[in-house]
Amino acid sequence: MAERSETAADPRPSRNPLTRVIDSFWNPTPASLRLLALLGVIGNALIVATGGAVRVTKSGLGCPDWPRCTGDSLVPTHNPAHSATNMAIEFGNRMLTFVVLAIGVLVFVAALRLVPRRKDLVRWALAQPMSVVAQAVIGGIVVLSKLHPAAVALHFLISPALLIFCVGLYERSGEGDTAPKRIVRPLLRRISGLLAVAAAVVLVAGTVVTGTGPHAGDDKARRWGFAIEDVTRVHSGLAWLTVGLTVLALIVAFRTGAPAVYRRRVLTLVGLEVAQGALGYIQYFMGVPGPLVVLHMLGSVLVWITALRILFATRDRGPMPAAETIAPAASSRTAPQPA
């Protein structure tokens, strides 16, 4: 009887979890690359929420130095001017940045090693670790400027900007490379573009509201000198404009027979906007409680992600390319001979 050769040529995927994790970026498939891209989207959404937690708990200067947490230590140590809780919250947010950076590096490695290599995916992936590094540098400016509202706003807005690349990579890794084919009417494509612009403007206006309101990250932090009622009205008006564009997109989509995927994404956006609007008014009339602020910030990012995905649903680039299989190297060991 012949015995089965136990060589490296076994084509079955490894059941070792660590090996499978390594293969996901070192020997990637289109599916594993897309999973890593999804992790990038999730990581950048979560870092917005943890940044909000830093602000509402007044932990913005929990680590008063940068890149060290304190003058002589990279990690939190006893400091009479800052509580252990505030230091832990701020330090935890910094550590999450390194997790997001690690995901960005793995995504880039996977895009480089994907066979066949798709150059546009490499470009989408390269932007992710570079943007995270920029975010870390701006985070240092935030600390060194003692939470100046302009620096804080820029630090927040880096995440939505980075999400453009994360969402772009996620969407592109799930489709083919044929020339883009428009699958919605030109009017609907223009409305979708305006919707993304409106969502971006709402994010910018939201940073002004936060920089004017009570949650600046520290009691001594500088705030904008605007009246909170005025900036809130502007922010609310822009949000209602976004809702109006979304409803218009939904009506035009159904009347013109837009693809089901487009209609689903617009319906998802409507649901998110209703929840986000209700949350915004509740927190305003309740005196802006911290937990609701964090939820509202997370909701704003989910709205932004969905608005970006609507743009990608206006065209089609064919199915995802099939993965090419590379034959593993032959083992140097001699296979057992038949008995």
Side-chain angles (χ1 to χ4, degrees):
M1 295 176 59
E3 297 180 5
R4 185 179 181 276
S5 174
E6 295 180 357
T7 69
D10 188 350
R12 296 179 304 171
S14 172
R15 294 183 179 181
N16 186 315
L18 179 59
T19 301
R20 295 180 67 178
V21 169
I22 295 174
D23 283 343
S24 69
F25 63 88
W26 196 249
N27 299 302
T29 64
S32 69
L33 174 60
R34 197 164 196 235
L35 176 59
L36 287 171
L38 177 60
L39 292 178
V41 174
I42 294 172
N44 279 279
L46 289 178
I47 206 168
V48 170
T50 59
V54 169
R55 298 198 64 154
V56 301
T57 58
K58 300 180 181 179
S59 303
L61 295 177
C63 285
D65 293 310
W66 188 89
R68 295 182 175 88
C69 183
T70 58
D72 56 356
S73 176
L74 289 171
V75 299
T77 57
H78 175 71
N79 190 318
H82 303 277
S83 72
T85 300
N86 290 145
M87 296 184 77
I89 292 173
E90 166 62 9
F91 186 72
N93 187 57
R94 290 190 183 188
M95 291 299 98
L96 185 57
T97 301
F98 286 101
V99 174
V100 175
L101 175 60
I103 294 173
V105 171
L106 295 182
V107 163
F108 178 59
V109 172
L112 279 177
R113 292 186 58 82
L114 184 68
V115 178
R117 180 180 294 179
R118 300 170 62 187
K119 293 182 179 180
D120 63 331
L121 297 191
V122 174
R123 290 192 291 268
W124 283 107
L126 176 60
Q128 296 191 33
M130 294 179 65
S131 299
V132 176
V133 171
Q135 187 179 54
V137 172
I138 295 172
I141 295 173
V142 170
V143 173
L144 297 177
S145 68
K146 304 302 180 184
L147 307 184
H148 190 284
V152 172
L154 181 59
H155 187 46
F156 167 79
L157 292 173
I158 287 293
S159 289
L162 177 53
L163 277 167
I164 295 174
F165 302 105
C166 296
V167 173
L169 179 63
Y170 176 75
E171 292 290 336
R172 284 291 295 119
S173 61
E175 59 187 15
D177 293 323
T178 59
K181 176 184 177 182
R182 294 182 180 180
I183 55 177
V184 300
R185 298 288 180 85
L187 173 61
L188 196 52
R189 186 176 177 85
R190 288 193 290 270
I191 294 173
S192 302
L194 289 174
L195 180 57
V197 172
V201 174
V202 170
L203 287 173
V204 175
T207 65
V208 179
V209 174
T210 305
T212 305
H215 298 296
D218 189 86
D219 287 333
K220 298 179 181 179
R222 178 181 171 183
R223 291 165 173 79
W224 296 122
F226 307 116
I228 186 63
E229 294 83 2
D230 294 338
V231 293
T232 300
R233 289 192 188 98
V234 172
H235 180 58
S236 176
L238 291 169
W240 277 111
L241 174 61
T242 305
V243 172
L245 287 170
T246 307
V247 172
L248 179 61
L250 187 62
I251 293 172
V252 175
F254 275 94
R255 288 184 64 86
T256 59
V261 62
Y262 183 92
R263 298 197 304 268
R264 284 196 302 269
R265 292 183 184 184
V266 176
L267 282 170
T268 300
L269 183 57
V270 170
L272 286 171
E273 288 172 345
V274 169
Q276 184 74 341
L279 189 59
Y281 281 109
I282 290 172
Q283 70 171 358
Y284 178 77
F285 289 112
M286 289 183 64
V288 202
L292 294 187
V293 172
V294 176
L295 287 176
H296 194 60
M297 292 179 67
L298 180 59
S300 68
V301 173
L302 295 178
V303 167
W304 174 240
I305 291 172
T306 308
L308 291 175
R309 297 195 71 206
I310 287 173
L311 278 178
F312 282 96
T314 63
R315 86 285 183 278
D316 181 71
R317 300 196 66 171
M320 178 193 300
E324 289 188 6
T325 302
I326 301 178
S331 173
S332 60
R333 294 184 296 171
T334 302
Q337 300 298 315

